[in-house]
Amino acid sequence: MGPPKRVRLAFMDPKQVAQRIRTARAWADLSQDELAEALEVSKATLGRWERGEKVPRSPELFYIAEICGGPRDFFTNPDADITALDAAVDELEQT
């Protein structure tokens, strides 16, 4: 079957990708340590992704989506509706 096909993410701003990673992690109620461990990357690497200093490759973004229970489209489509995830994060932050 081969490795997953890479998707070009050049159209997405690194800060937008970073915000979506943070949103997905918060939505899944995971700490940076927990998500970094699940992704088998260092916490420093995840931190750089979440600050927009680096952008993960598409397979890593898809794995983040899988771990956090969100759609892949959330990381590949700049117009993807993030309202539901944002509302879930707001609810988590209030509890």
Side-chain angles (χ1 to χ4, degrees):
M1 187 158 162
K5 183 178 179 183
R6 291 189 63 172
V7 175
R8 290 193 153 285
L9 302 173
F11 59 88
M12 287 191 73
D13 179 90
K15 294 293 183 184
Q16 185 179 22
V17 174
Q19 175 60 41
R20 289 179 184 222
I21 294 170
R22 289 190 308 270
T23 299
R25 181 173 61 78
W27 184 72
D29 198 25
L30 295 172
S31 69
Q32 271 192 335
D33 287 328
E34 291 168 328
L35 183 55
E37 183 178 328
L39 292 167
E40 297 180 0
V41 299
S42 69
K43 184 179 174 183
T45 295
L46 181 58
R48 284 191 289 276
W49 293 347
E50 289 191 348
R51 289 188 300 276
E53 295 170 6
K54 297 255 182 196
V55 176
R57 296 174 303 137
S58 54
E60 282 119 356
L61 287 174
F62 295 159
Y63 195 39
I64 292 169
E66 182 180 321
I67 291 167
C68 295
R72 288 181 174 191
D73 189 51
F74 185 63
F75 292 109
T76 59
N77 180 356
D79 298 322
D81 182 15
I82 61 170
T83 307
L85 287 178
D86 284 339
V89 170
D90 288 344
E91 186 176 314
L92 283 172
E93 289 174 350
Q94 292 176 6
T95 58

